[in-house]
Amino acid sequence: MKPRFISVRNDGLGARLRPILNAVALARECDGTFEFSWPDNAGTGSGEALAPAEEIFSQDFIARHHRDGWLDLFDCTRGQGPKRKQFRSHILHKVQIGKILETGHSNSVCHITAFDDLREVLARPDAENVYREAFLALEFSDHIKTAIRAAQKADLSQNTTAIHLRAGDIVEKVHRFSGNYTQWVIPFPLARRLVEREMDKGRDVVIFGQDPVVVQHICDATGAREISAFARDHAFDATQMWFFETCLMARCQQIIAGGASSFSRFPSWIGNVEITNGYHLFDDETALELILTDATDAAPVSDLQKAFSFWAITDTYGQDIAPGDHVACLKKAVQYDPASSLYKLALINALIDTKAFDEASALLSSLIAQET
C-alpha cells in the first residue's frame, strides 16, 4: 500500500511543524499521503503563539489533511499506557525511512514522523532543499501569510548571524525544577560574548529571545539588534510574530542556539541554514570565567537568569570544572533561586564529592523541611 505519514505532536509550534514537514516531504517522495492532528495545549513553550489549526492553515488544507481522530490511538506525551505504546510502535526511524524511500511502499497502516533530518537520508542531489519545498507545500491562512511575507521583505543583510536565546519554561517555570532541556538555553554571559565575537568578524547580529530584559541588556552592551525592531511597523499577534521571527531567522547566514530547540531547528530546516550549539564554542575555563565575571548582583537581569547561568555551567561543563568551582557555582545558583530543589540537590552532591559531609547533611535536612 502507499505510505501514510502522520504527525500527532501535542507540544509547541516548532515541535509540531517539524514532524509535519517530514510527513509532507516523505509523502512527496513516495507518492504517499500525510495527515496531522493539532490538539489544544496551553502549557507548551510556545505559549500564546500556539493557536488553533484553523487560524494557522487554510480551510482547504485542513479539510484535506487535519485528522484529530489519530489522538484516539496515539499519545506522544511521556508515560506509559496502550496509546503511548501504540505511538512508539508506529514512530519512524531512519532505517525504516530508508526502506520506504527505496521501495515506495509500506506494510503499515500509518507511520508517525518525528524529528529525523531527511537530508541525511534522501539519496538525491538536491536533498538540501527538501524542507524548503515542504514548507512551500504547506497552505497557510491569510493571517499567517501576512507575517511570512513581511519576514521575506524585511531589510536583512546577507552576513547576518541569528542568536536564539530561549528562556521561558526552562529558566522561569517547570523545567527550572527538573533540569530538562538545560542546554537549550545559552546563559546570558555566554550569549553576550558570542555576539561580540560575531560582530568582531564583521557580521550583523540579530537576537531572537524570550526574555526582553536579557535581550535589551545584550543589545545595549554590544550594539546588536533585537528581532522586535524588525516588526515595529506591524501589529502582529503572538502567532504571527512566531512565524515572522522563524521565517526571518531562516534568511540568516547562520544560527547559533542552545541544544535542539525546535524554534531554531525549524528555520534551520526551511532555510537550509547551518546551526551551531553555542555551548560548543566555549571551553570550560572560558565559560566559567564569563559566568563568574558577568552573572553578578550588578547585572541588570533577573535573579532566575543569574541562577540558571550558574546551574547551566555546572550541568554542561561539570566534569571539566574543578570540584571547588563546581560547589561555588551551585552555591550561587541556590543564592539566586532558593526555591529550586534541583539546584540544592546538585549542591548536596557536589558537597559530598568534596567530602564536605556536614554541610551536605545540613543542606539536605533543610531541603527535606522545605519540601514537606
Side-chain angles (χ1 to χ4, degrees):
M1 69 178 74
K2 287 186 176 182
R4 187 180 193 181
F5 302 101
I6 66 171
S7 171
V8 291
R9 303 297 303 189
N10 72 343
D11 30 11
L13 259 176
R16 296 183 186 215
L17 288 169
R18 287 170 66 200
I20 289 176
L21 287 178
N22 272 341
V24 171
L26 287 169
R28 289 163 61 91
E29 291 291 324
C30 305
D31 191 28
T33 62
F34 74 91
E35 300 166 17
F36 69 98
S37 62
W38 199 268
D40 294 333
N41 187 353
T44 75
S46 296
E48 295 180 357
L50 182 59
E54 292 77 12
E55 295 182 19
I56 294 176
F57 302 101
S58 72
Q59 294 306 305
D60 288 345
F61 186 82
I62 289 174
R64 295 198 308 274
H65 303 292
H66 183 228
R67 304 285 186 273
D68 269 343
W70 288 117
L71 298 174
D72 295 331
L73 296 175
F74 302 114
D75 179 8
C76 74
T77 57
R78 295 178 180 83
Q80 299 297 325
K83 290 171 68 175
R84 176 62 173 166
K85 292 179 180 178
Q86 283 272 75
F87 173 82
R88 288 175 174 168
S89 68
H90 285 78
I91 196 167
L92 271 176
H93 301 289
K94 284 186 177 179
V95 173
Q96 297 169 297
I97 292 172
K99 290 180 179 178
I100 294 172
L101 289 172
E102 182 179 351
T103 64
H105 292 83
S106 169
N107 294 323
S108 178
V109 172
C110 67
H111 297 281
I112 298 174
T113 54
F115 303 120
D116 292 299
D117 191 335
L118 297 184
R119 294 171 295 186
E120 301 171 1
V121 182
L122 290 175
R124 58 182 175 94
D126 61 342
E128 64 182 20
N129 295 320
V130 63
Y131 289 121
R132 182 180 287 115
E133 295 168 357
F135 181 69
L136 292 174
L138 300 180
E139 298 172 20
F140 292 106
S141 66
D142 290 341
H143 187 65
I144 299 304
K145 285 180 181 177
T146 299
I148 294 173
R149 283 194 296 267
Q152 292 168 342
K153 294 178 180 178
D155 185 14
L156 189 73
S157 67
Q158 292 184 344
N159 70 336
T160 299
T161 294
I163 294 186
H164 177 217
L165 303 183
R166 178 78 186 268
D169 51 349
I170 301 174
V171 174
E172 302 168 358
K173 299 178 183 178
V174 58
H175 294 307
R176 116 177 192 250
F177 298 98
S178 71
N180 292 333
Y181 314 114
T182 294
Q183 289 196 29
W184 289 21
V185 180
I186 301 175
F188 73 92
L190 304 192
R192 174 176 171 172
R193 180 55 58 89
L194 288 170
V195 172
E196 292 170 342
R197 287 178 179 177
E198 291 301 302
M199 297 186 77
D200 286 344
K201 296 174 185 176
R203 295 172 180 159
D204 290 340
V205 176
V206 178
I207 300 179
F208 299 73
Q210 287 184 300
D211 187 327
V213 176
V214 167
V215 173
Q216 190 63 53
H217 166 58
I218 295 175
C219 288
D220 289 345
T222 64
R225 290 188 292 175
E226 58 179 310
I227 180 59
S228 62
F230 291 85
R232 285 174 182 160
D233 294 334
H234 306 282
F236 290 146
D237 62 25
T239 310
Q240 287 177 304
M241 193 64 188
W242 191 97
F243 278 93
F244 177 81
E245 290 188 9
T246 52
C247 289
L248 191 69
M249 187 183 288
R251 293 179 52 205
C252 293
Q253 187 178 62
Q254 66 170 337
I255 300 169
I256 299 176
S261 173
S262 284
F263 182 90
S264 52
R265 294 286 170 174
F266 174 70
S268 172
W269 278 15
I270 66 174
N272 196 32
V273 183
E274 179 183 359
I275 186 168
T276 303
N277 188 326
Y279 282 104
H280 297 169
L281 301 176
F282 297 95
D283 59 53
D284 58 289
E285 291 183 2
T286 302
L288 176 61
E289 181 182 359
L290 287 169
I291 298 297
L292 293 174
T293 301
D294 291 352
T296 64
D297 290 345
V301 302
S302 71
D303 282 353
L304 293 183
Q305 283 282 357
K306 297 171 188 176
F308 176 85
S309 296
F310 284 106
W311 156 252
I313 206 73
T314 62
D315 188 59
T316 304
Y317 305 99
Q319 293 182 343
D320 300 315
I321 294 176
D325 289 332
H326 202 151
V327 168
C329 285
L330 288 170
K331 284 185 176 181
K332 281 290 188 180
V334 170
Q335 172 190 328
Y336 285 120
D337 186 5
S340 174
S341 55
L342 171 68
Y343 301 163
K344 289 181 179 178
L345 283 171
L347 175 56
I348 290 167
N349 288 329
L351 289 168
I352 291 173
D353 288 340
T354 59
K355 303 187 185 307
F357 300 119
D358 290 344
E359 189 175 356
S361 178
L363 182 57
L364 179 60
S365 297
S366 172
L367 179 58
I368 292 172
Q370 171 186 315
E371 296 297 316
T372 56

